[in-house]
Amino acid sequence: MGLTTGACFAHLGHVVVCVDNDLTRLEQIKSCAIPIYEVGLDHLVTESIAKNLLSFSSNPSEAVRDADFVFLCLPTPSGEDGKADVSAVIQVAAQIGSDLKGGSVVVNKSTVPVNSAAVVSQLINRPDVAVVSNPEFLREGSAVDDFLNPDRIVIGCIDESAGWRVAELYSSARCPVLLTDPVSAETIKYMANAFLAMKVSFVNEVASYCHVSGGDVLEVMRGLSLDPRIGARFLSPGPGWGGSCFPKDTVAIAASARSLGLDLGLVDQTIVSNRMHQGRVVQFIEEAVGSSVGIPQVSILGLAFKAGTNDTRESPAVALATRLFDRGYKVRAFDPVALAPANSGIEQVFSLEAALTDADVVVIATEWKEFGAITPDMFKMLMRRPVVVDLRHVLDARTLREVGIDVRVLGRQY
Ligand code: UDX
């Protein structure tokens, strides 16, 4: 998210230097070959480089020397006991302290455990430099739009004037700014992701309940979403939540609570519920495969953890494909941009036609729009038998069923 943040700030007119220790990556970006798939990002990078507002460096000390604001956008992967591994943040904070300009502000954008602003402040050890926490809420696939049109800006600070200076960097944003203390800001980020993961898990449990009770999950969700207290967003049933944030952040906040002597029952159960759901999805696919002669060929459409990205970290689509492979199925996968992990046993193909050909069952695991445009003829002519499990509700299941395609959706009765 560092590149998105840098390119978007440059787009807003600020002069930005992005620092990374991966030289190959830097060279790729400098020549506008963006290594991640993120809608609109390549355009912003190219535009900002051309306007001399965006440049790159591999030397943190040099890059921060003239900076008024230094954003830490460092990775905090899952570490010991699920707690966030903040070693990159610690290392960089310790490294740049003496190079910072007097009166500058260090802004922590990484998702970090509570009290990290205080830790960074100690490591920097500069009374003339303020440390501010400014969590990001960018979704992959719409990160640029989320940055430029945020629904809120959260700033945690002890020095309020430093906090407002950071808020002013987002001058074009028309949204509430919440100035609060650093611990609350850090907690907001984790709890937002935990709440959203819980909402998706709830929806997935409704789908499983409808599957056994005879209800229709989409009708039920429509009924629920009309209650403004529940709302319509984040109510799409799917193969389970994944990605680089929800899995890591739910585990991290639960581990952080435990280390403070508290069990977060709901967050713990959300993690369990997601795992159980993925098991039920495998079962649902196995029901669709039924009994067939020989080893069934299952084709998975989509590998990314959601549409709009090539990110397969903790992707439910990949988890699903791997579980099916481990259960003895031949598994083939197609994604418009994402690649199957190496040595996963998944055969990657590079066209929809290749994915559908001779498949016993097709599973739609990522909500790419083009999967919704597959015609009945393609299913009928290419597949061994036209059985499709639509985990993302991209197909017009009723119409396709009328013309002989056996479309199955968890939690919908036909
Ligand atoms: C998330 C947060 O939304 C973002 O604010 C934060 O900064 C980073 O983490 P992201 O990981 O990009 O963003 O994905 P998001 O769109 O939140 O989806 C997370 C997972 O939930 C995906 O696997 C997605 O497919 C799933 N999901 C989401 C559903 O299954 N149904 C929904 O209705 C919404």
Side-chain angles (χ1 to χ4, degrees):
M1 288 298 154
L3 182 62
T4 308
T5 302
C8 286
F9 272 135
H11 178 71
L12 295 180
H14 304 296
V15 178
V16 180
V17 182
C18 286
V19 184
D20 202 297
N21 58 6
D22 183 336
L23 297 179
T24 320
R25 204 175 157 81
L26 278 182
E27 283 312 313
Q28 280 176 326
I29 300 170
K30 273 193 224 169
S31 55
C32 298
I34 311 301
I36 53 166
Y37 178 83
E38 187 62 63
V39 176
L41 184 58
D42 48 356
H43 170 71
L44 284 196
V45 171
T46 317
E47 171 199 84
S48 306
I49 291 175
K51 287 184 179 167
N52 286 326
L53 289 173
L54 183 62
S55 60
F56 300 88
S57 164
S58 56
N59 185 334
S61 300
E62 228 170 71
V64 303
R65 213 158 277 153
D66 295 323
D68 298 308
F69 299 90
V70 175
F71 283 80
L72 303 179
C73 304
L74 295 150
T76 52
S78 258
E80 210 182 310
D81 305 327
K83 285 191 198 142
D85 173 357
V86 290
S87 50
V89 176
I90 288 177
Q91 195 230 317
V92 172
Q95 187 183 350
I96 59 174
S98 56
D99 300 307
L100 292 162
K101 188 163 107 173
S104 61
V105 183
V106 172
V107 188
N108 201 351
K109 259 206 174 299
S110 304
T111 303
V112 286
V114 292
N115 271 322
S116 293
V119 171
V120 168
S121 197
Q122 272 167 14
L123 288 164
I124 285 174
N125 195 19
R126 288 274 303 265
D128 57 337
V129 171
V131 175
V132 166
S133 164
N134 173 216
E136 56 88 3
F137 303 99
L138 310 182
R139 292 163 302 165
E140 287 185 36
S142 47
V144 170
D145 191 48
D146 285 350
F147 188 102
L148 298 175
N149 304 293
D151 40 29
R152 82 282 212 198
I153 292 165
V154 174
I155 291 176
C157 55
I158 292 170
D159 174 346
E160 281 199 14
S161 70
W164 283 117
R165 279 172 63 204
V166 174
E168 278 161 21
L169 296 174
Y170 298 89
S171 52
S172 65
R174 301 274 164 271
C175 69
V177 175
L178 173 66
L179 213 66
T180 182
D181 62 280
V183 172
S184 299
E186 289 158 349
T187 307
I188 287 168
K189 169 67 199 235
Y190 275 112
M191 289 307 182
N193 277 353
F195 184 84
L196 292 169
M198 188 174 70
K199 198 171 179 189
V200 175
S201 275
F202 181 80
V203 171
N204 287 335
E205 289 197 355
V206 174
S208 294
Y209 179 73
C210 287
H211 182 60
V212 292
S213 70
D216 182 314
V217 63
L218 294 193
E219 292 297 307
V220 175
M221 289 343 270
R222 200 165 300 135
L224 292 179
S225 68
L226 291 172
D227 182 335
R229 291 169 302 177
I230 297 174
R233 294 175 72 187
F234 259 69
L235 278 193
S236 302
W241 42 263
S244 62
C245 295
F246 284 9
K248 160 176 92 66
D249 293 350
T250 44
V251 168
I253 191 71
S256 156
R258 256 190 300 282
S259 70
L260 296 168
L262 176 73
D263 278 330
L264 295 181
L266 271 179
V267 179
D268 283 336
Q269 276 312 306
T270 299
I271 298 163
V272 172
S273 170
N274 197 44
R275 205 177 307 130
M276 282 168 58
H277 181 68
Q278 292 187 352
R280 278 194 295 263
V281 166
V282 169
Q283 220 177 326
F284 186 61
I285 294 167
E286 291 197 303
E287 281 168 25
V289 174
S291 52
S292 71
V293 184
I295 304 175
Q297 174 73 62
V298 179
S299 287
I300 311 281
L301 300 189
L303 286 163
F305 80 96
K306 64 172 186 179
T309 174
N310 60 350
D311 196 343
T312 55
R313 283 175 287 177
E314 301 283 336
S315 167
V318 172
L320 203 61
T322 311
R323 279 170 93 146
L324 290 167
F325 177 77
D326 290 344
R327 292 172 87 85
Y329 296 95
K330 284 190 274 181
V331 180
R332 192 188 288 154
F334 166 73
D335 190 288
V337 289
L339 296 175
N343 305 321
S344 58
I346 306 165
E347 179 202 355
Q348 171 124 28
V349 291
F350 296 95
S351 71
L352 269 176
E353 287 73 13
L356 262 53
T357 300
D358 292 336
D360 291 295
V361 171
V362 160
V363 178
I364 300 184
T366 308
E367 69 279 29
W368 289 106
K369 276 206 179 74
E370 57 228 79
F371 299 158
I374 303 174
T375 61
D377 278 352
M378 282 175 76
F379 286 126
K380 279 186 180 167
M381 288 161 69
L382 296 171
M383 293 179 69
R384 204 169 286 159
R385 51 197 185 101
V387 182
V388 185
V389 176
D390 183 4
L391 297 173
R392 291 291 196 168
H393 305 261
V394 299
L395 298 175
D396 181 351
R398 205 172 292 279
T399 308
L400 286 171
R401 286 180 72 89
E402 278 166 15
V403 295
I405 317 291
D406 182 2
V407 181
R408 297 169 182 225
V409 179
L410 186 70
R412 297 205 82 182
Q413 329 289 326
Y414 294 98

